[in-house]
Amino acid sequence: MSQERRTEISELGEFGFIRELTQGRPKSIDTVQSVGDDCAVLRPTKEHIVVTTDYLLEGIHFDLSYTPLRHLGYKSVVVNLSDVYAMNAIPKHITVSIAVSNRFSVEAIKEIYEGIYLACDKYNVDLVGGDTTSSTSGLLISVTAIGEASPSDIVYRHGAKQGDLVCVTGSLGSAFLGLQILIREKQVFLSDPNMKPEISEKNSYLIQRILKPEAKRGLIEFFASNQIKPTSMIDISDGLSSELMHICTRSDVGVVIEEANLPFDEQAYTQAMEFSYDPTTVALSGGEDYEMLFTISPEHHDLIMNYDDIRIIGEIKSKEEGQKLLTRSGNLYDLKAQGWVSF
Ligand code: ADP
Ligand code: MG
């Protein structure tokens, strides 16, 4: 928060403040009425509407000592869009509610909205409303995303079938490692404010993964253009193991994941080594990657192999076979929500 001018929110008043945050934005043809009335009015183009909402609380979900406000705004939108994509739906609208203490200036909150609008422009969604209130302590942001889909396109967590391929996009564990770097640098800074944070080319990618994640729009477009549909899908916010368990429980199936197939990028591997973390545990339990986990019929094997970002990591089994990790050395372990039980 290093802006030169500091305008108090009280100088503008609640309505002036909301106007300052929301004026001058274009609206799409799917938005009949945006900010400015008692409700937004939306024009759906598909039969089903999907709705999701997430809270971000200062001190619980983010730490402002290493989170730029713009990134915070961007991420608060992206994590919701990720949930919409995880239904194989297209996000169209968001609302944003904030609770702000007088510690924050108008300029600071406008920075958050710059990030929010950057995400809106990138993912083609309209901000159509919200709520604004004061807070006695920290900052709170709640975003609701609204999307659409044809009923037959919606993918739930409960459709995985024995024999389906288990796939993930991108790479796993990077956001978790990025967060560990930020936490470490904060500790270093707190113990000696003259120390320069060790954030370099070497780990910038990992830090970007935690501070400015992206949602998997391209994947959903790939499914649509190839007329294929996963049998189940979930976005990876809590960690692969935990999301796999959701799919298995809801679909009444088991799974085997192969350690050798877990996607891990090079920076993440190097960083895990530096922290003396087991890369597999990080890939299974590190959260906040916002990659997609899905299951799909093996008949689509060749098609999905054509898509660079997708990795097949295992297979859906019968419920009786449980939820297992097949290690590189050929042993089968129970998958646990927090990593896996070894030796
Ligand atoms: P009401 O009293 O009817 O809830 P408000 O005065 O809270 O209305 O809000 C006025 C308009 O501004 C509404 O369209 C609302 O959706 C919008 N709005 C309020 N706060 C925000 C915000 N933080 N971001 C975006 N839109 C907002
Ligand atoms: Mg209101």
Side-chain angles (χ1 to χ4, degrees), residues 23 25 121 189 242:
Q23 69 189 356
R25 288 286 303 172
D121 292 340
F189 179 78
S242 154

Side-chain angles (χ1 to χ4, degrees), residues 70 73-74 76-77 94 96 112-120 127:
R70 236 176 248 105
Y74 192 86
S76 68
V77 176
I94 58 165
V96 175
I112 297 177
Y113 271 70
E114 274 175 39
I116 288 172
Y117 290 134
L118 197 64
C120 285
L127 191 164

